[in-house]
């Protein structure tokens, strides 16, 4: 479920009705926060990207259709 709202005067305003019961706790996230990576996750992402770049340079490639087929067969 996604509910959109806006910040006005430091308060979150929601203009949509909800079927959630009173007292329901919700977590609000900015629509475009960039990312939520901490330094460890960011380092892991960059290492994976560099490994992928090395795979491409060495022509260790897989056809996307074959990868998807293998994933679907699991």
């Amino acid at each position: 479920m996604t509910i959109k709202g806006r910040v006005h005067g430091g308060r979150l305003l929601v203009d949509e009705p909800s079927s959630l019961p009173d007292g329901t706790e919700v977590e609000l996230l900015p629509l475009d926060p960039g990312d939520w990576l901490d330094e460890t996750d960011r380092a892991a992402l960059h290492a994976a990207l560099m490994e992928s770049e090395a795979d491409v340079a060495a022509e260790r490639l897989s056809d996307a259709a074959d990868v998807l087929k293998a994933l679907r067969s699991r």
Side-chain angles (χ1 to χ4, degrees), residues 16-37:
E16 300 178 25
S18 169
S19 60
L20 296 171
D22 286 349
T24 299
E25 186 174 318
V26 297
E27 183 174 301
L28 304 170
L29 299 171
L31 189 57
D32 184 19
D35 67 49
W36 293 278
L37 297 177

Side-chain angles (χ1 to χ4, degrees), residues 43-56:
L45 170 62
H46 286 277
L49 290 171
M50 289 192 317
E51 183 179 335
S52 178
E53 188 175 335
D55 286 340
V56 170

